[in-house]
Amino acid sequence: MDDDGLFETPGAAARAGGGSLNANTHASAPLAVRMRPRTLDELVGQSQLRAPGSPLRRLVEGDQSMSLLLWGPPGTGKTTIASIVSQQTDRRFVEVSAVSAGVKEVRAAIDAARAELVATGRETVLFVDEVHRFSKAQQDGLLPGVENRWVTLIAATTENPFFSVISPLLSRSLLLRLESLTDDDVRAVLDQAIVDERGLGGSVKVEEEALEHLVRLAGGDARRSLTYLEAAAGAAASQGLDTVDLSTAETAVDRAAVRYDRQGDQHYDVVSAFIKSVRGSDADAALHYLARMIEAGEDPRFIARRLMILASEDIGLADSSALATAVAAAQTVQLIGMPEAQLTLAHATIALAVAPKSNAVTTAIGAAIADVRAGKIGQVPPHLRDAHYAGAKKIGHGSTYKYSHDQPFGVAEQQYAPDVVLDRAYYQPTSLGAESAIKERWERVRRIIRGN
């Protein structure tokens, strides 16, 4: 299934067509395929891309040769846009799936496009679905076709292309960002599918409550909404009904498909929201995002690792038990697995969310690393250097070192840091939680060490 979910190429990595995905659509094809928009004006949502004078409209209406990189969530129209470009500019349409294709298939598609261009003058739209799954070598294989304009490349990705697409390909393509569809957009898609001859053709009515249910479950995904509508209409027909009510819709779609792409942007967005909610001490919001990750099939070990990082990054010495809790949770996840481990993850999530917060550990190591990278290294004071070899004391190594345990309060007044950073105070404890007591002790100890 392609990223847009509207076209499938069983058993093949590439497909060549006569210019449109819609051209040979059979009545038995899925509703989402039959209702694929044929022109930019039929495309729902993405008004910023369809506006007069926009790059996409110039490409379609001006028949310009321009490679596109389409970045957006599933079901927002990426494959549809590729089909529209192909159909309205009378170009051949060739699709390559990054899931199943290799360098050989990519080169074959480009070679075939070049041969077609030489023989007939007809250009080719090469649609690469899920381009972020291509390796660097596979993405490099697309460059000759793009640079020489043997193909009009349209690549689709759900991941941030600045991280997942090589720079040469990114710089040679026009990046278009597709936004999630609104509920009104999805409602318009469903309303059209109910009456359109390509869709249900008015053969079934959908009650308002049922329609609202389908819109809500779609989560901004046009493909998903049409899939749910088709299931609901089929369920009604199987019962001899000509109306889809709420009960029928709920039966056909027995649970919400969580709007979360474990391999795409949603993965990073939900994880980010989870961590920020724990950091912000909102246990309820954190549990919501945890539930979304669990329901989406996220690796529980990944969640546990993020909690361990957060325990030091955002809590630190304000509650040192937070790290022990996170480590214990990670070990428990390894030992018992899912679904039972969801209890452990919830336990750790709540504990870390309600714990007092301090980023003093984070800022301390950050400041220290910044000084080192800035060249503030300095010589180790002679009395701290290794004195466990013959002749060390003759050159002054360790000769004046004061053993801390022999000093009052177990703290020795002597220089520890190199001269170049002697006045630096990296660790700045807060007065939050247990760190308030640590702050008092650390300030006393620092004064003793530095003799002030």
Side-chain angles (χ1 to χ4, degrees):
M1 189 69 69
D2 64 22
D3 169 68
D4 227 36
L6 305 183
F7 179 70
E8 191 170 11
T9 53
R15 182 187 77 98
S20 170
L21 287 177
N22 296 89
N24 300 311
T25 300
H26 194 273
S28 62
L31 179 62
V33 174
R34 304 199 306 271
M35 289 304 300
R36 185 189 297 279
R38 295 159 295 188
T39 67
L40 282 181
D41 292 329
E42 289 184 0
L43 186 66
V44 174
Q46 316 308 334
S47 58
Q48 77 282 5
L49 303 184
R50 298 184 289 109
S54 67
L56 180 59
R57 192 167 286 279
R58 292 202 307 271
L59 171 62
V60 172
E61 297 178 351
D63 197 12
Q64 298 179 358
S65 293
M66 184 188 305
S67 291
L68 301 178
L69 186 56
L70 306 177
W71 172 27
T76 51
K78 295 186 288 297
T79 306
T80 294
I81 288 175
S83 174
I84 291 172
V85 171
S86 172
Q87 181 180 10
Q88 293 201 253
T89 60
D90 194 31
R91 289 178 169 94
R92 292 172 64 247
F93 185 92
V94 177
E95 179 178 353
V96 175
S97 172
V99 175
S100 54
V103 175
K104 179 180 178 182
E105 286 80 6
V106 170
R107 289 176 177 169
I110 292 177
D111 288 344
R114 183 183 182 187
E116 179 76 14
L117 184 63
V118 171
T120 68
R122 192 182 188 197
E123 297 182 20
T124 298
V125 168
L126 176 60
F127 178 63
V128 180
D129 186 27
E130 299 187 84
V131 69
H132 57 272
R133 295 181 183 270
F134 266 168
S135 66
K136 181 180 183 298
Q138 288 170 308
Q139 292 187 33
D140 282 336
L142 295 168
L143 291 176
V146 173
E147 291 174 336
N148 294 289
R149 295 194 174 180
W150 297 330
V151 296
T152 295
L153 174 68
I154 302 182
T157 179
T158 56
E159 291 194 3
N160 189 328
F162 294 100
F163 298 113
S164 59
V165 177
I166 60 173
S167 297
L169 189 58
L170 192 59
S171 66
R172 289 166 174 78
S173 305
L174 175 65
L175 176 62
L176 300 180
R177 179 73 187 268
L178 281 71
E179 302 294 339
S180 293
L181 300 183
T182 66
D183 285 352
D184 288 341
D185 292 333
V186 174
R187 176 65 180 263
V189 169
L190 294 178
D191 286 341
Q192 183 64 27
I194 293 170
V195 301
D196 198 296
E197 290 302 321
R198 294 178 298 150
L200 302 181
S203 62
V204 65
K205 297 178 180 178
V206 183
E207 292 185 355
E208 182 64 26
E209 286 187 336
L211 200 57
E212 289 180 358
H213 182 66
L214 297 178
V215 170
R216 179 175 61 82
L217 293 187
D221 189 322
R223 174 207 61 226
R224 184 178 297 165
S225 72
L226 292 170
T227 300
Y228 290 166
L229 174 61
E230 187 171 28
S238 67
Q239 301 174 51
L241 305 174
D242 61 0
T243 300
V244 175
D245 58 16
L246 179 59
S247 176
T248 303
E250 289 176 336
T251 301
V253 188
D254 58 358
R255 66 179 298 186
V258 179
R259 193 172 180 329
Y260 175 91
D261 176 13
R262 195 156 62 95
Q263 300 298 325
D265 278 353
Q266 285 292 313
H267 166 78
Y268 300 106
D269 290 344
V270 173
V271 169
S272 175
F274 172 66
I275 293 301
K276 289 172 181 174
S277 297
V278 177
R279 178 185 299 141
S281 301
D282 191 332
D284 293 327
L287 286 171
H288 167 77
Y289 293 117
L290 175 63
R292 286 175 65 168
M293 290 189 288
I294 290 173
E295 284 297 294
E298 181 60 80
D299 185 345
R301 296 171 299 178
F302 169 78
I303 301 173
R305 287 195 296 270
R306 293 306 301 263
L307 288 173
M308 285 192 289
I309 296 168
L310 181 142
S312 293
E313 180 181 9
D314 296 303
I315 299 173
L317 277 74
D319 183 357
S320 288
S321 68
L323 179 58
T325 299
V327 171
Q331 293 173 335
T332 304
V333 166
Q334 291 274 29
L335 289 171
I336 67 175
M338 295 295 280
E340 292 84 357
Q342 68 187 22
L343 301 175
T344 300
L345 290 172
H347 177 167
T349 295
I350 295 171
L352 271 59
V354 301
K357 303 298 189 296
S358 169
N359 70 341
V361 169
T362 303
T363 56
I365 186 61
I369 289 175
D371 276 354
V372 170
R373 289 178 176 172
K376 297 179 179 179
I377 305 297
Q379 295 293 321
V380 174
H383 58 281
L384 298 185
R385 297 180 189 178
D386 182 19
H388 292 85
Y389 59 92
K393 290 190 176 182
K394 291 182 180 180
I395 57 176
H397 288 191
S399 59
T400 60
Y401 172 65
K402 298 177 183 177
Y403 188 51
S404 296
H405 297 291
D406 291 339
Q407 306 302 312
F409 310 109
V411 179
E413 178 186 342
Q414 61 186 341
Q415 180 177 340
Y416 289 95
D419 290 340
V420 70
V421 291
L422 188 58
D423 61 344
R424 299 288 280 147
Y426 297 122
Y427 179 47
Q428 299 286 344
T430 69
S431 298
L432 302 173
E435 199 168 33
S436 62
I438 295 172
K439 179 180 181 180
E440 293 178 9
R441 171 173 168 73
W442 171 230
E443 288 175 348
R444 291 197 305 269
V445 168
R446 187 156 52 187
R447 285 195 295 268
I448 294 173
I449 291 172
R450 300 187 181 184
N452 53 33

